[in-house]
Amino acid sequence: MSWSGGVGTGDGLKTRQATLDDIPALVRHRRRMFESMGFCDEAINDEMSATVAEQLSRWIPGGEYQGWVVE
């Protein structure tokens, strides 16, 4: 299933499917989520961030990852 259209929310925001261009923001969000849960080892978080970025670069075009971005 693929959805590429954006949906307006009536308040000036638009929801759309994540693209390859969103990988830095998705990785940053994931990293901050783990840091807020107390996982603050910088070396481990650096490795996780690099791994997730690499995975998303395959998963987004292949349809294995479905993410939504509000802008």
Side-chain angles (χ1 to χ4, degrees), residues 10-56:
D11 56 4
L13 300 175
K14 181 179 172 185
T15 302
R16 62 172 176 76
Q17 193 167 15
T19 69
L20 293 174
D21 291 337
D22 297 310
I23 289 175
L26 295 169
V27 170
R28 185 172 54 251
H29 183 266
R30 182 180 178 87
R31 183 183 183 123
R32 287 187 178 173
M33 176 187 70
F34 279 102
E35 290 170 347
S36 73
M37 293 187 303
F39 298 97
C40 298
D41 184 303
E42 193 165 338
I44 291 173
N45 288 341
D46 287 347
E47 184 177 343
M48 180 270 303
S49 294
T51 299
V52 169
E54 188 273 324
Q55 290 171 329
L56 289 174

